[in-house]
Amino acid sequence: MLVSEKNKRIGNIDLHLRKTARQLVKFDTVDETLHYLIESFWKQFGCHYVSIILKMKDVLICKASKGDGQKFEQRFPMERTHCSELFLTEPKCCHDPIDEELTCEFLTHLQDEGFATWFTVPIKESGSNSMGVCVIGYEEEVPLILNADKLFEEFGEDIAAAIGIAQQKEHEKKKIKGMEWLKDNVYLGSSIEQLVANITERAGKATGAESVYVYLYDDHHNSFVYQPPAFGPMAVTAKLKLEEDYSLFHHFPYVDREGGSEITIPFTVNLKTIGVLHVVKKEAGTFTSEDLELLQLLSSHISVLIENARLYKAEMEDKRRLEKLMVNQQELVKRTLVGEGFQEITVSLSKMLGRSVVLFDRFLRPISSFRVEESQEEFEQIFAAVEQEKWAVLNASKREQWLKYGPQHDFAVWKVMGGGDCLGYVGVSIRKNEVDMVVRITLNHALDVYAIQFIKQKLVLDVKEQVKDGFIHQLFSEKIEEKEKLIEYANLFNVNIFQSNKIAVFSIECKQRVSEEEDLLSIEAKKTWLWERIREELLQFDPGMMVSRKAGKYLLIVPEKKVRETKDYWEKLYSRMTKMIPPNMQEMDILLGIGTSTKTLEDYYLCLRQALQALKIVTTNYPSKKFLSFESLGSYSVLYNLQETLAAKMFVKNVLEPLQSYGNGNGKGKDLFDTLRVYLLMNGNLKETAEALFIHRSSLKYRLGKITELLKCDIDDAEERFNLMLAYKLYDLYEKAESSVV
C-alpha cells in the first residue's frame, strides 16, 4: 500500500511537471518563463524556497526566486568555477552521498542555509551545455520526492527548451522592434547627419551605452573621419589615419566582438567598409551578444543608406563645383582680356583648386606663383624638386608629369601647349587621387587660358623685336641719318644711347663639324633654343641690359657704369650664359667679344666693329679663352685698323705662301708653316720649340733649315723675324678667319 501511495504521488508530480512544461512555451520573455516556473513550484509542492540560477558566461546569477533563502542568495553572482559541474549537469539531493568532488562553495552555501531537504535540477537540454540550475528547499524532511530525480531531470530539459524559446522570441522581438524603428525613423533621401543622429541615438539607448559615435572612411586620405552628431558625452579624435595594413583593430580592438567595455560595428557595402559605429561604456556590465546582434542589424540596414547619402552628397557637390567651374572659367577668360601678366591667372586658378600653383616658362623657370597651404620651406622644396628633375621634365613627351617633394607630397606639372609648341608649364601641389574630373576640366581650361596669354605676350614681343631690329640697324649704321627717330626708339626701349655703353657680341657655335643638311637644321634649332634661354637669363642678370640679334650674331648693350660697379662683370655674365647649356647639348659652345665704350652716337658703329673683331679673334686664335675684349687684343687691335686689306693679304702671300704650297698638299707644308709659327712664339728657343711640337731637336733643325731654304731669308735676323710674325698676325686677321668653317 505504501509503494502504491508513493507511485501515485510520483505520478502526480510527473503530471504537474508536464503541465508546467507545456505552459512554459506560451511565454514570450525569459523573465515571464522564470516567474511562472517559480510560482508553479511554490503552489504545487508547498516548498519553502525555490530559485533559478542561470549561467552568464563565467558567472552564476540568481535570476528569479521565492521564499526565504536570503543568506544563500547573497552569495550571487558567483564565479562559475566555485560551483561543481555535477550540479549543472545532474539532479542532486541532500540525501545523496557527498563525494569529495561535490565539495564546492555552491554546496557549502546551500547547506549553510539550513534546509532540512533540498534538491537541485540542472537546466539543460540533452546533449547541450547547461544553462543553469534550479534549487528547491524545504524546512522539513520530504522523503516522497527522492525517487523522482529522473522526472526532475526531464523537467530541467523542458525548462531549458522553454528558456531557449523565450530568448529566441525576445531576440525576434528586438529585431522586429529594430525594423519598426528603422521604418519609422530612417528614410531614403535622409542626409548623412540625420542618419548618423538616428543610429547613434538608437544604438545608445538600446544597449545602454554612455556614448556612441560614427567614423566614415575617407578614400583620399586613407583615414576614418569623425561624422557628427554623436550620442552622449564624448571626446574623439577628428581623424584616424589607417596603417599600411588597413587593419581596423589598431584603432578599434572590439570589432564585431562582445564582452568588452566597447564595441565596434563596421558599415559594409559590397564587401567594402565605408565606416564604423563605435559604442562605448555600457552602463551595466559589458556588451553582450544580444547587443552585438542588435548593432549588426542596425548597421546592415543603415550602411546602404549612408553610402547612398554620401554618393548623393558627392553628386551635389560635383554639381556645385561644375556650376562654380563655369563662373571660374569666365573669370579666367576675363583675366586674359584685362590683364597683361600671369599673376592674376595664377591667383585665380589657385583659389579655384584650393592648392598652391606655380607657373614656369618653357625652361622651367618660375614666372608667377601663389601659395595656399605650404610653408615657405615646403615651397622651396617644390622648387628644389623641379630643379632636380628639370631635364627629365623638359625632355618628357607626356603632357602630365608627377614629382615628389618632402616625405609624402605630390607636385603635378602640366605642359602649356600652343600651336604644337611648349610655351610653359603649370605646377600644382595636389595628390594624384584628388585629381578628379572637375579638377581636370578646370586645369585643361586654365592651360588654354595660359596658352592664350603666352601667345599674346609672344605677339607683343615679336612686334617689339621687329621695332628693335629697326632701332638696332639705325643705331649701328656707319652713318646715322634720322637721329630724332632713333631717339624715339631709344625711349621706347628705355635705352639711354647718350650715356657711355659697352657693346658686346656673342655667338653660339658647335664644336663638331657639320656636313649633313639634317644636322645643320638640328644645330640651328639648338642654337635658337639656347638663344631664348640665354636672353631670359641675361635680362635677369642685368635688367638694364639690351639684348638683340644682328647679322647672325647676338648683340649686348650694357651701361658702362654697371660694368664698373660689378666686379668681374664679364666673367660672371659669361658664367651665367654657359650654365644655360644643358647636359645633352655639351657640343655647343659660347664665344664672346667685347668692344670699347661709346661716347657719342657715332661710336656705336665703331664699338660694334671692335666687338665683332674681338669675337673673330677669340674664335680663330684663342677658342680656349672663350671671351676677349678689344683692348686685350694687343697688336691685333692695331692691325684691325689697316685700311688696305688687299695689300695686307698680298704681304701674307709673298711671305708665307712658299711654306703653304710646299709638298703639294701632302701635309709637309703645313708642318713647316706651324713649326715656324711656334719657333717665332718661342723667341727662337730650340728646346722649347721642340717640346711644344713634340718632335726631336734634330728634326726641328732639319725643318728650320728647310724653312730657311724655301723662304730665302735668315729666320734668326730680328727684322726678318718681325716680318714673319707680322705675316702670321695678318694671316690670322684675314686669311684664317675667311677659311674657317662655322
Side-chain angles (χ1 to χ4, degrees):
M1 186 69 182
L2 185 59
V3 174
S4 175
E5 184 68 23
K6 183 183 296 186
N7 290 335
K8 183 178 179 182
R9 292 191 176 186
I10 291 175
N12 291 335
I13 293 173
D14 180 42
L15 179 61
H16 171 74
L17 293 179
R18 292 302 170 193
K19 290 180 178 180
T20 302
R22 288 193 296 271
Q23 191 68 24
L24 288 175
V25 298
K26 297 180 180 180
F27 300 110
D28 292 332
T29 66
V30 174
D31 287 341
E32 290 177 346
T33 301
L34 297 181
H35 282 91
Y36 177 80
L37 180 63
I38 292 295
E39 291 295 332
S40 175
F41 260 91
W42 190 267
K43 292 179 180 179
Q44 181 66 26
F45 298 106
C47 56
H48 299 91
Y49 176 78
V50 59
S51 65
I52 296 177
I53 299 167
L54 296 183
K55 183 172 64 173
M56 301 291 183
K57 291 191 176 180
D58 296 328
V59 179
L60 297 177
I61 299 175
C62 184
K63 295 292 290 183
S65 66
K66 189 168 184 178
D68 186 11
Q70 184 177 2
K71 187 177 180 182
F72 175 69
E73 291 181 14
Q74 286 178 349
R75 306 297 181 177
F76 295 90
M78 178 185 294
E79 293 291 332
R80 165 67 186 79
T81 55
H82 295 169
C83 178
S84 174
E85 186 67 24
L86 292 176
F87 287 107
L88 300 173
T89 57
E90 299 178 8
K92 292 296 175 182
C93 176
C94 59
H95 299 294
D96 291 337
I98 306 301
D99 297 332
E100 184 176 351
E101 62 181 5
L102 284 177
T103 303
C104 60
E105 288 190 19
F106 178 84
L107 176 61
T108 302
H109 298 323
L110 184 58
Q111 291 174 337
D112 290 345
E113 189 62 42
F115 295 123
T117 302
W118 58 262
F119 58 91
T120 62
V121 179
I123 302 174
K124 64 184 290 291
E125 294 186 85
S126 179
S128 301
N129 294 328
S130 175
M131 300 175 65
V133 60
C134 177
V135 178
I136 303 170
Y138 290 86
E139 292 181 355
E140 67 276 355
E141 291 286 343
V142 184
L144 294 180
I145 64 172
L146 296 181
N147 295 329
D149 53 348
K150 182 63 177 177
L151 298 177
F152 282 115
E153 184 176 356
E154 293 177 358
F155 180 62
E157 294 178 2
D158 295 337
I159 295 175
I163 292 176
I165 292 173
Q167 289 176 337
Q168 184 65 28
K169 287 181 178 180
E170 285 186 344
H171 181 63
E172 293 299 328
K173 276 189 174 183
K174 286 185 178 180
K175 281 188 175 181
I176 293 172
K177 193 173 182 181
M179 295 297 291
E180 291 175 349
W181 177 86
L182 288 170
K183 180 181 177 182
D184 295 336
N185 296 275
V186 179
Y187 305 97
L188 185 64
S190 300
S191 67
I192 294 178
E193 290 75 13
Q194 291 172 330
L195 293 172
V196 170
N198 286 333
I199 194 172
T200 52
E201 181 181 7
R202 176 60 180 169
K205 292 180 177 179
T207 61
E210 182 179 306
S211 61
V212 184
Y213 46 93
V214 167
Y215 279 103
L216 296 181
Y217 182 65
D218 183 356
D219 286 312
H220 293 313
H221 300 93
N222 188 29
S223 303
F224 277 104
V225 180
Y226 166 64
Q227 174 62 57
F231 173 80
M234 56 176 301
V236 299
T237 305
K239 182 183 292 187
L240 301 177
K241 180 72 176 176
L242 284 183
E243 302 298 327
E244 293 183 357
D245 59 358
Y246 293 90
S247 175
L248 295 177
F249 291 96
H250 179 72
H251 298 288
F252 308 107
Y254 282 88
V255 176
D256 283 332
R257 287 175 55 193
E258 75 274 17
S261 60
E262 59 185 62
I263 190 170
T264 306
I265 308 297
F267 293 136
T268 306
V269 178
N270 295 328
L271 303 180
K272 177 184 176 183
T273 300
I274 64 167
V276 295
L277 174 68
H278 193 61
V279 186
V280 181
K281 294 183 181 179
K282 189 176 177 71
E283 295 177 358
T286 59
F287 290 102
T288 64
S289 59
E290 289 80 6
D291 296 328
L292 175 62
E293 290 179 5
L294 174 63
L295 295 175
Q296 288 175 335
L297 172 67
L298 295 175
S299 170
S300 64
H301 285 82
I302 208 166
S303 295
V304 175
L305 296 177
I306 289 179
E307 182 65 6
N308 288 340
R310 291 179 69 180
L311 293 174
Y312 177 77
K313 184 178 181 180
E315 184 178 349
M316 294 303 295
E317 178 65 19
D318 288 343
K319 181 180 178 182
R320 185 191 65 80
R321 291 173 64 194
L322 286 171
E323 292 173 349
K324 187 177 179 181
L325 173 64
M326 300 302 296
V327 177
N328 292 337
Q329 288 179 344
Q330 295 174 3
E331 181 67 21
L332 285 175
V333 173
K334 180 181 176 182
R335 296 296 181 189
T336 63
L337 296 175
V338 301
E340 295 295 331
F342 294 99
Q343 186 62 22
E344 297 86 354
I345 304 174
T346 301
V347 172
S348 297
L349 177 60
S350 179
K351 290 180 178 179
M352 291 177 199
L353 299 176
R355 298 289 185 274
S356 298
V357 175
V358 182
L359 175 66
F360 302 90
D361 64 12
R362 61 190 178 126
F363 308 115
L364 272 181
R365 291 175 300 192
I367 299 175
S368 65
S369 62
F370 191 78
R371 190 177 63 195
V372 177
E373 297 178 345
E374 288 76 12
S375 63
Q376 183 61 37
E377 181 181 355
E378 289 175 327
F379 221 50
E380 291 173 359
Q381 290 177 356
I382 291 176
F383 293 123
V386 172
E387 183 66 26
Q388 184 177 357
E389 300 293 333
K390 175 187 287 186
W391 302 118
V393 174
L394 291 175
N395 296 319
S397 58
K398 295 181 179 179
R399 190 174 186 183
E400 176 182 327
Q401 297 177 74
W402 288 86
L403 310 178
K404 286 284 186 183
Y405 74 93
Q408 10 179 304
H409 299 289
D410 294 332
F411 188 74
V413 179
W414 284 270
K415 287 183 181 180
V416 180
M417 302 297 294
D421 297 325
C422 178
L423 305 176
Y425 296 86
V426 175
V428 182
S429 178
I430 188 171
R431 289 182 178 274
K432 200 167 187 177
N433 56 8
E434 293 177 350
V435 182
D436 57 12
M437 179 190 68
V438 176
V439 172
R440 288 196 178 277
I441 293 174
T442 304
L443 281 169
N444 289 336
H445 183 71
L447 292 174
D448 292 339
V449 171
Y450 275 122
I452 293 172
Q453 192 70 5
F454 272 117
I455 292 171
K456 277 178 57 181
Q457 290 200 352
K458 189 174 185 301
L459 292 173
V460 173
L461 289 175
D462 288 344
V463 173
K464 283 188 176 181
E465 285 297 319
Q466 292 176 7
V467 177
K468 186 190 292 184
D469 289 343
F471 166 65
I472 294 297
H473 177 74
Q474 292 189 41
L475 180 63
F476 289 96
S477 297
E478 186 174 3
K479 188 176 181 180
I480 300 176
E481 297 178 353
E482 302 180 17
K483 288 188 178 181
E484 294 299 326
K485 190 174 183 179
L486 186 65
I487 294 171
E488 291 179 6
Y489 281 151
N491 291 331
L492 176 64
F493 294 108
N494 197 27
V495 178
N496 187 352
I497 57 178
F498 295 103
Q499 71 176 1
S500 181
N501 290 312
K502 277 281 189 180
I503 309 301
V505 177
F506 73 90
S507 64
I508 303 173
E509 308 293 342
C510 182
K511 301 175 186 177
Q512 305 169 355
R513 282 191 170 273
V514 181
S515 56
E516 298 182 8
E517 183 179 356
E518 59 180 0
D519 289 333
L520 282 171
L521 293 175
S522 175
I523 291 299
E524 288 303 316
K526 289 181 179 180
K527 286 183 178 181
T528 302
W529 189 85
L530 275 176
W531 155 244
E532 295 292 337
R533 294 198 69 199
I534 292 172
R535 180 177 63 176
E536 296 296 326
E537 184 67 20
L538 290 175
L539 293 177
Q540 289 188 19
F541 172 73
D542 185 357
M545 175 192 304
M546 184 173 184
V547 184
S548 184
R549 298 185 68 169
K550 181 172 177 61
K553 300 291 188 278
Y554 308 102
L555 178 66
L556 307 178
I557 303 176
V558 184
E560 186 184 25
K561 181 181 178 182
K562 180 70 174 181
V563 176
R564 289 198 309 267
E565 292 175 350
T566 305
K567 184 179 179 182
D568 301 328
Y569 179 89
W570 297 109
E571 288 84 349
K572 293 177 180 177
L573 178 140
Y574 185 79
S575 175
R576 294 284 287 265
M577 292 168 67
T578 55
K579 286 180 179 178
M580 294 297 100
I581 302 177
N584 61 341
M585 292 188 187
Q586 291 303 306
E587 75 277 9
M588 307 305 291
D589 199 8
I590 299 174
L591 300 174
L592 174 66
I594 307 159
T596 57
S597 301
T598 63
K599 304 299 181 186
T600 65
L601 289 180
E602 288 72 17
D603 291 338
Y604 282 91
Y605 173 76
L606 178 61
C607 290
L608 174 61
R609 299 290 299 171
Q610 292 173 346
L612 288 170
Q613 188 61 34
L615 177 63
K616 183 186 296 184
I617 296 300
V618 77
T619 302
T620 58
N621 291 77
Y622 306 105
S624 61
K625 288 190 176 182
K626 305 302 182 184
F627 65 92
L628 282 175
S629 63
F630 185 80
E631 293 95 331
S632 64
L633 294 180
S635 61
Y636 285 117
S637 64
V638 177
L639 297 173
Y640 165 73
N641 290 293
L642 292 176
Q643 299 297 319
E644 293 296 331
T645 305
L646 181 60
K649 291 182 178 180
M650 290 300 297
F651 174 75
V652 173
K653 182 177 181 180
N654 291 334
V655 175
L656 299 178
E657 197 274 337
L659 298 181
Q660 292 175 309
S661 61
Y662 174 72
N664 297 321
N666 59 7
K668 293 183 179 180
K670 186 177 186 308
D671 289 341
L672 296 179
F673 183 88
D674 293 337
T675 299
L676 179 58
R677 179 197 284 272
V678 175
Y679 181 72
L680 294 173
L681 291 174
M682 298 300 176
N683 295 316
N685 189 302
L686 293 175
K687 181 182 178 182
E688 293 180 357
T689 303
E691 290 177 352
L693 293 171
F694 300 101
I695 61 175
H696 196 270
R697 191 167 180 170
S698 60
S699 299
L700 175 61
K701 288 181 178 180
Y702 171 78
R703 290 185 184 182
L704 292 176
K706 193 65 178 177
I707 291 169
T708 302
E709 179 186 338
L710 292 171
L711 297 181
K712 296 180 175 58
C713 70
D714 183 4
I715 61 176
D716 291 326
D717 181 76
E719 187 68 24
E720 293 291 351
R721 289 171 67 175
F722 173 77
N723 290 334
L724 292 170
M725 183 60 74
L726 179 61
Y728 275 107
K729 293 288 186 182
L730 291 172
Y731 170 81
D732 291 340
L733 193 61
Y734 298 111
E735 302 291 339
K736 185 177 179 180
E738 291 179 3
S739 62
S740 62
V741 178
V742 180

